Amino acid sequence: HLGDLAISVPYVARAIAADAQVSPEDAAARRAAGGAYAALLGENTIAGRVPLLIVHGLCHLLGHDHETDEDHTEMVREEERLVEVLRRHLAASERS
């Protein structure tokens, strides 16, 4: 057992509303950071954000964090790998 992962749908909805107010400069900085955090900015639905939050949370459960630049880089790499795996599986299931 790795731990528990909880996602608050009301919190996600508030985050979507807040992200709609992000300045273009801040949005560019977030996108440049990569990983699930950057991808969240491009998702403006709860259904689009939840898989990214699951990937981010899973990375934490697996022991990743983003306390240092090196840790952040490693976690972003793992998030991007897992998001790609998830997208491939979702695409394959849609074709089936």
Side-chain angles (χ1 to χ4, degrees):
H1 184 261
L2 295 174
D4 297 318
L5 180 62
I7 296 174
S8 166
V9 173
Y11 175 84
V12 174
R14 288 191 304 273
I16 290 168
D19 285 347
Q21 306 302 316
V22 170
S23 72
E25 295 82 15
D26 288 344
R30 280 178 59 178
R31 285 186 190 93
Y37 186 63
L40 287 172
L41 195 56
E43 293 293 342
N44 59 4
T45 66
I46 292 169
R49 286 202 178 198
V50 167
L52 297 171
L53 292 168
I54 290 170
V55 165
H56 186 78
L58 179 61
C59 284
H60 280 297
L61 290 174
L62 293 170
H64 296 283
D65 65 40
H66 36 80
E67 297 298 316
T68 68
D69 288 345
E70 184 179 321
D71 291 341
H72 176 263
T73 299
E74 183 180 323
M75 186 164 172
V76 164
R77 195 171 22 250
E78 185 64 6
E79 285 177 341
E80 289 175 346
R81 185 186 75 78
L82 290 172
V83 165
E84 181 57 33
V85 168
L86 181 60
R87 285 186 175 139
R88 279 197 315 264
H89 283 288
L90 291 173
S93 69
E94 288 174 358
R95 288 190 303 266
S96 299

